Amino acid sequence: MRGPLGAVIGRYPSSDGTTEIGGIIRHNRKCRDIVFLVIFIAFWVAMIVNSSFGFNQGNPLRLTYGLDYKGNLCGDKHAHPGLRKLELKYWLNPNQVYQSGVKDSQFKLSNARSICLWDCPTPSEDSLNWVCDYPEGDIRLSMRDWINRNYDYYEFLTPEMRNTSLQLQGPCYPVIFPSVNVYWSCQFIARASNISLRHWQQMGGVNINEDMVIDKSIHRSINSRSSVLKRYMADIGKSWPVLIVCGGMLPLFLSVIWLLMIRHFVSAMPWITVALFNILIITVTMFYYLKAGWIGNDAISPIIGEHDPYINVFGRELHHLRAVAILMTFVMVVSILTSIAIVSRILMATSVLKVAAKVIGEVQALIIFPIIPYAILAIFYMFWISAALHLFSSGQVVKNNCNTNCCAYDLVAKKVNCDGCCGYSIHYTPHIAVAIFFHLFGGYWATQFFIACSSTVIAGSVASYYWARGETSPEIPFLPVFASMKRLIRYNLGSVALGSLVVSFVESIRFILESIRRKLKVAGVTSDGWFGKIGNHTSQGCLRCVEWTIKSVNRNAYIMIAITGKSFFKASEIATELIMNNILRIGKVNVIGDVILFLGKLCVSLSSAVFGFLMLDTYKYRAAHNKISSPLLPVLICWALGYVVAALFFAVVEMSIDTIILSFCQDSEEHQGTAQYAPPLLIETLGDQNEMQRLTQ
């Protein structure tokens, strides 16, 4: 058994044998877990170096726009020639597109000749339209004139150039198929214009394949997994105002309102929280159904701009939304049933929330303290998200290595060149994947670190309140929040770094194992029998239990770090022993209080998601330049950011409850089962035996 903490809390004897006044949680401390603080600092240096690589090598525009046959990024005003506002990728030679879609063909679409245009060309209704290569050599046209002429300078071609154009070798190519802007690429519709095709045949042009393959080849490229991932990342960059408003400002406002209501309407807040949670989760689920097209006519579309309403193009993003809608339906049903089940226990939450409300009212600056870690996290996230976008786009533009024979007219060399067939693509080296994973892990660790720092400061402030019997005392420093911050910065940053690292490490392991499980399932390696399914679900459940246990132990460890100044593992041991010795006394009360606080965090984050859907439903994000491929990822990020902000502010109540209860348990152990320092409201709530029996039944 651990001995009493006499020299840790309350008055304690000084070195000369006298009793020192003002010794509340301000005993002789020293720095703990310094090694992990050094590791955390080194990790931040590595994060900065890793991010600088992304800023130097990446270009977020690559996530949205494609490359032309010269390796230029569409829309790049610094390209040669200048491609400012020419953002659509168009494949000139329809036969090359067809060849890339033929089964077992060695020719790839990335090697097909493509240029960047303002809009997708359409076949003429009474003649033959042409799209010609960028004007160079003897073609004395500026890029502006070329655009104004609808990319057509066929009349200026020499007889030799016209002959090579009829052989689909350029520099001009016929517009035979209609096309539509699908995610900034001109998607061919395999429905050739009879008039244009007849004119082409009358001029002696080579045969053009009209098979459905020409449609599917581009569609397959646009909907590849790498292309979809790039579009999701590009959505984050395009919707940054939504992230700021719905992921930052809105949850800040809602969290402060919730804390103020806890302070003044504590009895009604559990009921309000449960009712609001049910309304919000139903609303979010309905929004997913709307965007998935299962309710109404508001489904997302991959087509940008005006188009023929009879043209239907579907992308992976729609399937992902429908999968999430099904998942949200299951979560909604389980959540509503769970919230109904805890209604009878809400009185327990009310009684313990009253103590937290009393603390919030008594401890100065406690309610506004979370603004400090909020501001730090806001700055960090702006840098981190920007670096993430650059890292995801930090591949090198390299020429493809192909052995395909194809010829195209070179306007500069004034001849047909058969050596420059290979196109360009963005090459991602394995170390970029490592850099991205490192960046994601660093972001999660930093988030956990700042939340842990905030929790430890709050715990130290509330402990000062408790050990002064909940009254204003000369032993409690003025503005105890800032005194607690000083102790954290001076002594406990290493312990906090260690605790946040443990959580981040466990989460990363769980993520890696989940990824491996999914790959094995796709590959058909896992067993489909009942034994395999049971093992699969059991392993997932065990990992989640381990994750929840570690987070719970960490939270209590931060409390004991704030009170005792011990190292992380020693503080965890003390907290765990206190909880186990008093599990029947505090278990149900604490669990119900945590459930209500968790629902409160979800209310704030779900509100962020709802407003995210509403902002993304405006014209700015549904059409034209800033159109996003899907609201899925921006809404999920708003949801996550809203939860992080709510966790920062709700920690005021959460840590107040846990700190008061742990202090009460420690106080009882120190004084033979009778707490001496417990404030009157806490004694009223937990001290009465009849009340205790009612709460623990």
Side-chain angles (χ1 to χ4, degrees):
M1 282 292 291
R2 151 182 71 79
L5 298 179
V8 172
I9 52 182
R11 296 179 177 84
Y12 60 93
S14 61
S15 57
D16 59 3
T18 61
T19 300
E20 182 176 341
I21 303 300
I24 293 185
I25 68 172
R26 292 192 305 190
H27 60 288
N28 295 327
R29 293 177 177 242
K30 62 179 181 180
C31 295
R32 306 283 185 177
D33 301 317
I34 301 177
V35 173
F36 293 95
L37 179 59
V38 174
I39 293 174
F40 184 70
I41 294 173
F43 192 89
W44 267 86
V45 173
M47 279 275 290
I48 294 173
V49 174
N50 190 53
S51 300
S52 65
F53 164 78
F55 284 118
N56 289 329
Q57 300 293 327
N59 182 357
L61 293 178
R62 295 175 184 169
L63 301 172
T64 301
Y65 307 116
L67 304 175
D68 66 6
Y69 74 92
K70 294 186 174 185
N72 295 322
L73 181 67
C74 291
D76 186 3
K77 62 181 180 181
H78 300 296
H80 181 74
L83 301 176
R84 183 174 178 269
K85 294 187 177 181
L86 301 180
E87 299 168 338
L88 273 67
K89 183 175 182 177
Y90 178 75
W91 286 271
L92 292 167
N93 190 334
N95 276 359
Q96 286 185 342
V97 176
Y98 171 81
Q99 187 179 354
S100 67
V102 175
K103 188 177 181 180
D104 299 328
S105 174
Q106 299 298 318
F107 189 82
K108 296 182 179 179
L109 187 63
S110 59
N111 295 321
R113 198 171 186 84
S114 60
I115 61 175
C116 303
L117 304 180
W118 178 287
D119 55 3
C120 294
T122 56
S124 173
E125 296 181 357
D126 54 6
S127 60
L128 179 63
N129 287 345
W130 298 84
V131 172
C132 302
D133 203 345
Y134 302 128
E136 295 177 305
D138 292 337
I139 305 300
R140 307 297 182 182
L141 286 176
S142 66
M143 291 293 289
R144 181 184 294 273
D145 292 336
W146 176 65
I147 295 172
N148 291 336
R149 294 179 59 89
N150 291 324
Y151 328 109
D152 182 3
Y153 51 75
Y154 183 80
E155 61 182 282
F156 300 146
L157 299 184
T158 63
E160 179 189 2
M161 293 180 183
R162 294 191 178 192
N163 182 57
T164 56
S165 296
L166 292 174
Q167 301 299 315
L168 288 181
Q169 295 178 350
C172 293
Y173 298 82
V175 181
I176 303 297
F177 298 94
S179 58
V180 64
N181 181 359
V182 177
Y183 296 136
W184 309 102
S185 294
C186 291
Q187 164 79 62
F188 284 168
I189 307 299
R191 190 171 61 236
S193 168
N194 293 330
I195 296 175
S196 298
L197 192 59
R198 185 166 61 250
H199 278 85
W200 170 255
Q201 293 170 346
Q202 290 174 352
M203 296 174 68
V206 298
N207 180 58
I208 292 180
N209 296 292
E210 304 178 55
D211 196 275
M212 199 63 185
V213 171
I214 197 173
D215 186 326
K216 293 182 179 179
S217 177
I218 298 177
H219 186 72
R220 189 183 306 116
S221 174
I222 292 174
N223 280 285
S224 65
R225 291 183 178 178
S226 61
S227 297
V228 173
L229 178 60
K230 288 179 181 179
R231 287 199 294 271
Y232 277 143
M233 293 303 300
D235 290 343
I236 299 175
K238 293 176 183 178
S239 60
W240 64 265
V242 178
L243 302 185
I244 291 176
V245 173
C246 299
M249 299 172 62
L250 180 65
L252 169 65
F253 173 76
L254 294 177
S255 298
V256 172
I257 292 296
W258 198 90
L259 287 181
L260 292 175
M261 292 183 69
I262 277 287
R263 175 70 182 91
H264 298 286
F265 307 102
V266 62
S267 298
M269 281 308 295
W271 302 98
I272 295 174
T273 300
V274 171
L276 188 61
F277 167 74
N278 288 329
I279 294 172
L280 286 171
I281 197 168
I282 292 173
T283 303
V284 170
T285 304
M286 291 303 102
F287 267 115
Y288 277 113
Y289 271 82
L290 283 170
K291 293 304 175 182
W294 286 341
I295 297 178
N297 299 312
D298 200 27
I300 61 171
S301 171
I303 301 177
I304 300 173
E306 297 182 359
H307 61 279
D308 187 341
Y310 294 101
I311 296 177
N312 295 316
V313 181
F314 298 98
R316 282 179 181 264
E317 289 84 351
L318 185 63
H319 300 305
H320 293 166
L321 270 177
R322 290 178 174 176
V324 173
I326 295 173
L327 177 62
M328 282 299 301
T329 303
F330 174 76
V331 172
M332 178 186 68
V333 172
V334 173
S335 300
I336 292 175
L337 294 177
T338 304
S339 64
I340 293 174
I342 67 170
V343 166
S344 61
R345 301 288 183 177
I346 280 183
L347 289 177
M348 292 185 187
T350 302
S351 62
V352 76
L353 286 176
K354 286 180 180 179
V355 179
K358 176 69 173 176
V359 176
I360 294 173
E362 293 290 338
V363 180
Q364 303 176 48
L366 191 59
I367 198 170
I368 62 172
F369 162 72
I371 293 178
I372 297 175
Y374 167 83
I376 296 173
L377 268 179
I379 296 172
F380 169 74
Y381 278 139
M382 285 189 287
F383 165 81
W384 186 85
I385 291 176
S386 177
L389 292 175
H390 282 81
L391 279 172
F392 268 90
S393 60
S394 58
Q396 294 183 341
V397 177
V398 296
K399 192 167 186 177
N400 297 332
N401 183 17
C402 66
N403 298 318
T404 308
N405 294 321
C406 60
C407 301
Y409 194 90
D410 190 331
L411 287 170
V412 176
K414 301 180 181 179
K415 64 176 183 179
V416 174
N417 185 359
C418 296
D419 299 327
C421 180
C422 297
Y424 288 80
S425 59
I426 300 175
H427 178 64
Y428 296 95
T429 56
H431 79 273
I432 294 179
V434 176
I436 291 173
F437 179 79
F438 183 84
H439 191 71
L440 295 174
F441 178 80
Y444 190 77
W445 187 8
T447 300
Q448 292 297 324
F449 177 80
F450 289 125
I451 292 177
C453 287
S454 177
S455 300
T456 306
V457 171
I458 294 170
S461 306
V462 176
S464 298
Y465 168 86
Y466 179 91
W467 296 105
R469 294 184 173 89
E471 300 173 354
T472 302
S473 168
E475 298 178 37
I476 300 181
F478 181 71
L479 293 178
V481 171
F482 295 101
S484 184
M485 286 177 60
K486 182 179 177 180
R487 290 194 298 272
L488 168 72
I489 296 172
R490 187 173 179 181
Y491 301 111
N492 305 128
L493 285 178
S495 300
V496 172
L498 173 56
S500 56
L501 175 61
V502 170
V503 174
S504 304
F505 182 76
V506 172
E507 279 284 332
S508 300
I509 294 298
R510 191 173 72 84
F511 175 79
I512 293 172
L513 293 177
E514 181 68 13
S515 300
I516 294 174
R517 184 190 67 82
R518 290 181 179 179
K519 288 185 178 180
L520 291 176
K521 186 176 181 180
V522 171
V525 177
T526 56
S527 173
D528 292 331
W530 64 271
F531 185 78
K533 291 181 180 179
I534 291 176
N536 181 31
H537 291 299
T538 302
S539 61
Q540 291 185 61
C542 290
L543 286 173
R544 292 187 181 276
C545 288
V546 170
E547 174 195 350
W548 180 85
T549 303
I550 288 178
K551 286 185 176 181
S552 179
V553 170
N554 271 19
R555 192 174 67 189
N556 294 314
Y558 297 145
I559 295 172
M560 299 313 296
I561 287 171
I563 296 176
T564 67
K566 299 292 185 181
S567 65
F568 173 78
F569 289 116
K570 184 62 178 178
S572 300
E573 178 187 346
I574 295 172
T576 303
E577 185 176 340
L578 279 175
I579 293 172
M580 295 305 296
N581 290 342
N582 297 272
I583 190 67
L584 294 178
R585 199 174 196 183
I586 65 173
K588 290 186 178 180
V589 177
N590 202 18
V591 168
I592 295 298
D594 287 346
V595 169
I596 295 299
L597 290 171
F598 177 66
L599 293 182
K601 296 175 193 176
L602 288 180
C603 284
V604 173
S605 58
L606 287 170
S607 299
S608 299
V610 170
F611 279 89
F613 269 119
L614 293 175
M615 286 191 68
L616 293 171
D617 203 36
T618 57
Y619 177 80
K620 178 180 180 180
Y621 300 107
R622 291 176 56 122
H625 187 75
N626 285 320
K627 177 183 172 69
I628 61 171
S629 64
S630 169
L632 179 60
L633 194 56
V635 166
L636 289 178
I637 291 178
C638 287
W639 193 337
L641 291 177
Y643 189 87
V644 170
V645 174
L648 286 175
F649 283 86
F650 283 38
V652 171
V653 179
E654 195 169 29
M655 297 304 290
S656 295
I657 295 173
D658 291 347
T659 303
I660 288 288
I661 289 178
L662 277 180
S663 298
F664 178 83
C665 295
Q666 176 59 39
D667 194 7
S668 299
E669 286 201 5
E670 290 279 345
H671 300 96
Q672 292 76 43
T674 303
Q676 297 293 320
Y677 288 87
L681 183 58
L682 183 64
I683 294 176
E684 180 184 346
T685 303
L686 297 179
D688 185 81
Q689 292 300 320
N690 294 330
E691 177 72 0
M692 181 61 62
Q693 291 176 5
R694 185 185 70 80
L695 290 175
T696 56
Q697 282 176 355

